[in-house]
Amino acid sequence: MRLALAEAALAPGHGDVPVGAVALVGGEVVARRHNERERAQDPLAHAEVLALGDAAGALGTWRLDALTLVVSLEPCPMCAGALVAARVARVVFGAADPKAGACGSLYNLCADPRLNHAVDVTHGVLADEAGALLTAFFAGRRRPARTGRPARATGPRGSDLTR
């Protein structure tokens, strides 16, 4: 998890949410990535998906049934779906994500009996440290300019909802 946290710490350098993922087979690192959605302008560039792609390339197969993915934040539905599709053996995550987590918090795609594969889940590993990275990142982004008035809510195409 310390490697995943170190990877996550790289993401804010290019404006991305600090999430890091490390792929292991037999205790050896085969891939490590962090979020790159902003950098790549790619909605699929989550740390987990990038690490799974790199691991598949390194191992020469999309069937990652011997792989453990260690990730700093609980995977979202897209990433949990990728874990299932890639037949990943196990996911270990740090901070839970009550708004988008799909490995037990909001959904549990990794243990859904309707799907063709189940992924073992270990949660809460260094959760406080993972959560602190996220909290610091979002606190920095949410500091409004000190104008003495509240920020305006906007709707589609920037329309002002306060009128």
Side-chain angles (χ1 to χ4, degrees), residues 59-157:
L59 298 170
T61 182
W62 64 268
R63 289 179 183 86
L64 304 175
D65 55 358
L67 189 132
T68 295
L69 188 73
V70 180
V71 60
S72 58
L73 178 65
E74 180 179 4
C76 72
M78 176 182 71
C79 294
L83 295 170
V84 172
R87 315 294 197 269
V88 169
R90 180 177 177 217
V91 63
V92 177
F93 69 85
D97 187 350
K99 292 183 178 181
C103 295
S105 290
L106 185 60
Y107 304 106
N108 197 351
L109 293 178
C110 291
D112 190 323
R114 296 169 295 179
L115 299 176
N116 64 339
H117 177 72
V119 179
D120 290 335
V121 176
T122 301
H123 60 88
V125 177
L126 298 179
D128 290 342
E129 290 181 42
L133 272 175
L134 293 159
T135 299
F137 175 79
F138 286 112
R141 291 180 56 120
R142 290 185 178 134
R143 286 191 190 106
R146 301 287 179 206
T147 62
R149 59 186 168 145
R152 291 179 176 241
T154 59
R157 299 183 191 222

Side-chain angles (χ1 to χ4, degrees), residues 12-52:
H14 45 79
D16 278 290
V17 176
V19 178
V22 177
L24 304 160
V25 174
E28 298 294 321
V29 174
V30 294
R32 55 189 289 174
R33 296 293 291 268
H34 57 273
N35 275 1
E36 294 186 18
R37 289 191 314 168
E38 295 299 328
R39 171 188 266 176
Q41 291 300 298
D42 180 354
L44 305 178
H46 288 208
E48 301 94 321
V49 172
L50 296 172
L52 290 176

